[in-house]
Amino acid sequence: LVACRSYQQGTMFPSDTGAGSGSGMIQEVEWQKENANAVTLIGNLGREPEMKYLEDGKVIANVSIAVSRGRNAAPHWFDLDFWNDEARQVESLVKGQQIQVTGRLTQNTWKDKMTGQTREKVRVVVSSVALVTSNAMGGMGGG
């Protein structure tokens, strides 16, 4: 169940911030754990997946995708991590293929050995992947 309330434009939650559907209304939804950290992206693979096979039988695949922002804009690049079944699914994919992924964001933090500075990287841990079979981006391509 989703509890929704609508607000008129110019009230506490104005839709003119670009987050609304253009109807002048923005919905309020009930918080759900599975939706608190969820992301869906469509983009083109920047390289073939890098596969790692662990001793305990787990499989990890890493790849990056370019998500288009329009014809004349540079794409956004995202690093993706696939585990086990999802990793096996992407093993045969090739650079340039357009995929849709759904997953959660994770932030890795480490100390740079050369500079001693703390570094951070946001990655997407993928829970599902699908091939995009038509140009769903209106002719813009994915990257």
Side-chain angles (χ1 to χ4, degrees):
L1 290 176
V2 175
C4 293
R5 277 191 295 216
S6 296
Y7 296 89
Q8 291 295 326
Q9 190 168 2
T11 61
M12 189 173 173
F13 297 99
S15 64
D16 57 358
T17 62
S21 62
S23 67
M25 306 281 276
I26 191 166
Q27 293 183 342
E28 182 179 288
V29 297
E30 185 178 314
W31 185 89
Q32 297 175 358
K33 180 180 177 182
E34 61 273 10
N35 295 331
N37 182 1
V39 62
T40 300
L41 301 168
I42 294 178
N44 292 72
L45 293 178
R47 59 179 167 79
E48 279 73 29
E50 177 185 323
M51 304 298 296
K52 296 177 187 171
Y53 301 90
L54 306 181
E55 291 180 13
D56 63 1
K58 293 180 181 172
V59 182
I60 305 169
N62 305 110
V63 72
S64 59
I65 63 168
V67 176
S68 176
R69 298 186 317 133
R71 290 188 191 272
N72 298 320
H76 286 295
W77 286 90
F78 295 90
D79 291 326
L80 309 177
D81 295 331
F82 299 83
W83 287 84
N84 301 318
D85 291 341
E86 288 75 21
R88 290 180 187 92
Q89 289 176 352
V90 301
E91 187 169 15
S92 62
L93 297 182
V94 295
K95 180 179 179 178
Q97 275 189 294
Q98 193 172 46
I99 61 171
Q100 174 180 301
V101 295
T102 302
R104 63 180 172 81
L105 300 176
T106 185
Q107 186 171 12
N108 298 334
T109 304
W110 69 96
K111 189 164 290 253
D112 187 306
K113 292 179 183 178
M114 299 291 279
T115 65
Q117 293 181 338
T118 300
R119 305 281 312 257
E120 297 178 0
K121 177 78 174 178
V122 175
R123 303 178 68 87
V124 178
V125 178
V126 177
S127 57
S128 69
V129 60
L131 292 175
V132 177
T133 58
S134 65
N135 191 352
M137 297 182 74
M140 289 189 220

